[in-house]
Amino acid sequence: SQWGEENLQALSIQEGEDVTMNCSYKTYTTVVHWYRQDSGRGPALIILIRSNEREKRSGRLRATLDTSSQSSSLSITAAQCEDTAVYFCATDYGNEKITFGAGTKLTIKP
Amino acid sequence: EAGVTQSPRYAVLQEGQAVSFWCDPISGHDTLYWYQQPRDQGPQLLVYFRDEAVIDNSQLPSDRFSAVRPKGTNSTLKIQSAKQGDTATYLCASSFWGARAETLYFGSGTRLTVL
């Protein structure tokens, strides 16, 4: 889980496997962003899920949002080497201040 | 469409020196953010603007950091007297909140090392 952690977590899987990253947030929110950051680059939004969606898909990505447990997850199906990156969850807690979690460093091994 | 442009790409300085970071947001984006990202951590918001106005600078160390966006377009973040603890990547992001787009577009950042 990302929130409340100061340093990023690390996950390493084989190409073709599925992976899920989790994020728990502190207070109620209606939207969770998932960003991906490649080495030497700024984060880029990959999927945004709102509280009325519970689940959202984009290609091999699947995000969930459970407001009752204040948690979100990002799953990648059949991971590929190009999925290697750091993944962050973020939320605005109802205002404009986008707050990021510590991140998960995902490595896909060939 | 051009993305968010930041310069310089890297900066190395001694403690006590000053440094400025420059950001050119995406054209038409009214909101501009500065984040600090220490190594192996998530981005941490320092300050953000709506047009030329500072909306929130509560996380900006005011004794040494300053940020301006005088014409509501480009922005400069300055560290007056850098400390080793300021070593991090400084990221600029922009968005258009008029349509509640909620997507932040980031530049590639300035990697600062304070020796």
Side-chain angles (χ1 to χ4, degrees), chain B residues 23-72:
Chain B
C23 174
D24 186 5
I26 291 173
S27 178
H29 280 192
D30 55 2
T31 307
L32 185 146
Y33 300 78
W34 284 102
Y35 283 86
Q36 180 191 61
Q37 186 176 24
R39 185 179 178 83
D40 293 338
Q41 295 186 30
Q44 298 160 16
L45 182 66
L46 292 173
V47 59
Y48 78 99
F49 298 84
R50 173 70 39 71
D51 299 319
E52 69 277 6
V54 173
I55 303 300
D56 191 317
N57 62 359
S58 59
Q59 302 304 310
L60 195 68
S62 58
D63 57 334
R64 297 185 301 110
F65 285 63
S66 62
V68 294
R69 193 186 185 200
K71 296 182 179 180

Side-chain angles (χ1 to χ4, degrees), chain A residues 6-8 31 33 35 37 39-45 48 50 88 92 94-103 105, chain B residues 9 33 35 37 39-43 45 48 50 55-56 58-59 91 97 100-109 111:
Chain A
E6 192 164 308
N7 295 310
L8 62 79
V31 60
H33 313 231
Y35 281 78
Q37 186 173 28
S39 180
R41 306 290 299 272
L45 182 71
L48 185 152
R50 303 180 192 277
F88 295 99
D92 59 9
N95 56 37
E96 299 161 332
K97 296 170 61 172
I98 308 296
T99 303
F100 285 76
K105 184 175 184 178
Chain B
R9 193 74 176 89
Y33 300 78
Y35 283 86
Q37 186 176 24
R39 185 179 178 83
D40 293 338
Q41 295 186 30
L45 182 66
Y48 78 99
R50 173 70 39 71
I55 303 300
D56 191 317
S58 59
Q59 302 304 310
L91 295 164
W97 281 89
R100 298 295 298 177
E102 298 174 311
T103 299
L104 298 188
Y105 296 86
F106 282 87
S108 293
R111 184 176 296 182

Side-chain angles (χ1 to χ4, degrees), chain A residues 9-30:
Chain A
Q9 304 167 39
L11 283 176
S12 181
I13 64 170
Q14 295 294 137
E15 193 171 27
E17 293 183 340
D18 300 341
V19 62
T20 296
M21 292 165 273
N22 297 300
C23 174
S24 299
Y25 46 93
K26 297 176 182 178
T27 59
Y28 181 78
T29 186
T30 60

